């Protein structure tokens, strides 16, 4: 006898619909929809009932139909190169102070400093009909550029100041910032200064250019100690070991970021090298931890929160049909008053 097996009941609960909310409140779907777009457009008592039922049923608005009909998704796509690098946390916070205040959502995508991965993630975000894009890299594939052109949405490239931005750009001059801080190291009497770089992304290379310019201008020999690995405190030990092998007279290190700089400072102390008397150490991005170690780290302070804020302001202004006074905005930098030089 053949055995008949009954299908296992589905464990997936049916999603609460707009009609479910409307039925429970005793109004039309159109009224609930109007409430979701603008609560003030519905009478106060009805508004309170709808809000209570939405909370009770755990209703989640389905925005796909609006997106697919090419109307505004009220969402901004943000591309981040790293989830482990804390500098992007304050950058996103800056963006969201503006987007949240104007009723926009943010969709985050991570591309690991990889142009092809950025291309894939941008294609995905554009498929969700995002209203604009905020990018954190200035080098893109041809397909990425073509997709963005076809989408016809505003774009802000951030963190750098590309010579030919896609649309708008908000950042700082990393070459100038690095040049000035290395000049400060040289002015303190240091002559055998190495540059520690990781990842070898665009910003690492820009900072290296500023370092080279300051060294060559002073008649000194640049020395790069580089790795393709991502930055970490522990990476610094290997870089310092390599630098000392190449330059026994090493008396200064300029690091592409604070992770490596703090690691370098701690590793130097473990080796009995006095900072800054024997070795000056300078970082980049001015993380809070740099001010809690001893000596306090001298670093280039980059305004990540303000860059995020300004990027979102430019993007939303364009979505309102306004033309910004400046399409490329230099947010500047500061050099912290540390004790490691």
């Amino acid at each position: 006898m053949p055995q008949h097996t009954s299908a296992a009941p589905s464990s997936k609960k049916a999603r609460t619909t707009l009609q479910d909310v409307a039925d429970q409140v005793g109004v039309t779907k159109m009224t609930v929809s109007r409430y979701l777009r603008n609560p003030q457009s519905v009478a106060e008592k009805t508004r309170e009932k709808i809000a209570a039922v939405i909370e009770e049923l755990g209703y989640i608005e389905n925005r796909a139909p609006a997106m697919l009909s090419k109307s505004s998704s009220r969402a901004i796509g943000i591309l981040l190169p790293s989830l482990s690098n804390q500098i992007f946390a304050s950058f996103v916070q800056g963006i969201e102070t503006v987007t949240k205040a104007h009723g926009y959502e943010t969709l985050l995508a991570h591309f690991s400093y990889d142009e092809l991965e950025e291309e894939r993630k941008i294609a995905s975000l554009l498929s969700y009909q995002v209203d604009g894009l905020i990018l954190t890299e200035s080098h893109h594939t041809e397909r990425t550029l073509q997709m963005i052109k076809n989408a016809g949405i505003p774009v802000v490239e951030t963190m750098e100041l590309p010579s030919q931005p896609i649309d708008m750009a908000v950042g700082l001059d990393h070459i100038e910032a690095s040049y000035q801080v290395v000049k400060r190291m040289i002015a303190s009497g240091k002559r055998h200064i190495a540059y520690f770089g990781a990842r070898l992304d665009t910003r690492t290379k820009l900072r290296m250019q500023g370092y080279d310019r300051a060294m060559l201008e002073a008649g000194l020999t640049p020395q790069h100690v580089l790795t393709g690995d991502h930055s970490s405190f522990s990476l610094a030990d290997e870089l310092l070991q390599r630098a000392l092998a190449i330059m026994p007279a090493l008396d200064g290190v300029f690091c592409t970021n604070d992770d490596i700089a703090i690691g370098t400072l701690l590793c130097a102390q473990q080796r009995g090298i006095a900072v800054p008397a024997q070795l000056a150490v300078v970082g980049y991005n001015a993380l809070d931890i740099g001010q809690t170690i001893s000596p306090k780290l001298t670093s280039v302070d980059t305004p990540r929160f303000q860059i995020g804020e300004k990027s979102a302001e430019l993007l939303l202004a364009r979505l309102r049909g306004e033309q910004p006074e400046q399409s490329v905005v230099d947010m500047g930098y500061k050099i912290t008053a540390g004790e490691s030089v």
Side-chain angles (χ1 to χ4, degrees):
M1 290 280 292
Q3 289 188 330
H4 296 281
T5 56
S6 59
S10 171
S11 60
K12 187 175 178 182
K13 184 180 182 296
R15 182 170 173 151
T16 302
T17 65
L18 197 67
Q19 188 64 61
D20 294 334
V21 175
D23 289 346
Q24 187 141 333
V25 176
V27 294
T28 63
K29 269 172 64 175
M30 186 65 73
T31 302
V32 180
S33 180
R34 198 166 68 247
Y35 164 84
L36 291 168
R37 286 196 307 274
N38 178 14
Q40 300 304 317
S41 66
V42 177
E44 188 179 351
K45 283 189 178 179
T46 308
R47 195 161 68 224
E48 289 169 0
K49 284 181 188 174
I50 294 173
V53 170
I54 283 175
E55 187 171 344
E56 181 191 337
L57 299 181
Y59 172 73
I60 300 166
E61 184 180 3
N62 181 6
R63 296 172 70 178
M67 290 168 148
L68 293 171
S69 69
K70 303 281 186 189
S71 62
S72 170
S73 64
R74 304 291 291 180
I76 303 298
I78 305 170
L79 275 293
L80 299 177
S82 170
L83 294 179
S84 60
N85 192 333
Q86 63 178 290
I87 70 162
F88 295 107
S90 55
F91 167 68
V92 173
Q93 286 164 5
I95 293 170
E96 291 192 336
T97 57
V98 176
T99 54
K100 188 177 178 183
H102 289 83
Y104 278 81
E105 299 295 335
T106 53
L107 299 180
L108 306 184
H110 167 236
F111 64 95
S112 299
Y113 292 95
D114 182 323
E115 282 188 9
L116 287 173
E117 185 62 17
E118 183 197 50
E119 178 188 296
R120 286 189 284 270
K121 292 296 172 69
I122 286 176
S124 176
L125 287 169
L126 291 176
S127 75
Y128 285 101
Q129 305 289 345
V130 292
D131 291 343
L133 287 171
I134 295 178
L135 310 180
T136 48
E137 186 55 78
S138 58
H139 287 86
H140 316 283
T141 67
E142 284 300 318
R143 180 166 179 256
T144 292
L145 295 173
Q146 190 60 49
M147 285 191 298
I148 289 172
K149 184 179 177 183
N150 291 345
I153 58 174
V155 174
V156 184
E157 291 167 289
T158 64
M159 299 296 181
E160 301 159 35
L161 298 172
S163 56
Q164 293 183 302
I166 296 171
D167 184 4
M168 298 175 283
V170 180
L172 66 138
D173 187 338
H174 294 277
I175 296 176
E176 181 64 19
S178 302
Y179 168 73
Q180 291 297 342
V181 81
V182 175
K183 272 185 70 174
R184 184 175 293 196
M185 296 175 80
I186 295 167
S188 75
K190 304 301 181 184
R191 290 293 176 270
H192 305 280
I193 304 167
Y195 175 71
F196 286 4
R199 283 275 197 195
L200 308 185
D201 58 289
T202 309
R203 288 180 283 281
T204 292
K205 292 173 184 174
L206 290 172
R207 292 162 195 165
M208 189 158 65
Q209 285 181 47
Y211 156 83
D212 286 354
R213 182 174 138 205
M215 292 291 283
L216 293 170
E217 190 180 273
L220 303 174
T221 306
Q223 183 64 61
H224 308 150
V225 184
L226 308 173
T227 175
D229 294 342
H230 69 81
S231 300
S232 65
F233 298 125
S234 56
L235 183 65
D237 187 53
E238 177 207 326
L239 297 179
L240 182 58
Q241 190 172 322
R242 282 169 53 194
L244 288 168
I246 300 164
M247 301 172 69
L250 182 76
D251 60 6
V253 176
F254 173 48
C255 303
T256 191
N257 58 42
D258 276 11
D259 289 355
I260 295 174
I262 291 162
T264 300
L265 191 152
L266 297 174
C267 289
Q269 290 175 333
Q270 287 166 7
R271 291 167 182 263
I273 301 170
V275 177
Q278 292 171 270
L279 184 72
V281 180
V282 171
Y284 209 100
N285 288 321
L287 300 182
D288 184 58
I289 190 174
Q291 298 303 300
T292 64
I293 58 175
S294 181
K296 290 179 181 178
L297 183 68
T298 300
S299 186
V300 176
D301 189 353
T302 56
R304 282 98 56 193
F305 183 91
Q306 289 81 6
I307 288 173
E309 200 173 34
K310 187 66 176 177
S311 301
E313 285 171 359
L314 287 182
L315 205 63
L316 297 193
R318 280 284 298 280
L319 289 171
R320 292 191 298 269
E322 300 168 14
Q323 285 300 324
E325 289 181 20
Q326 293 176 278
S327 59
V328 177
V329 183
D330 186 343
M331 300 297 289
Y333 64 90
K334 292 186 289 187
I335 298 173
T336 63
E339 304 159 346
S340 60
V341 176

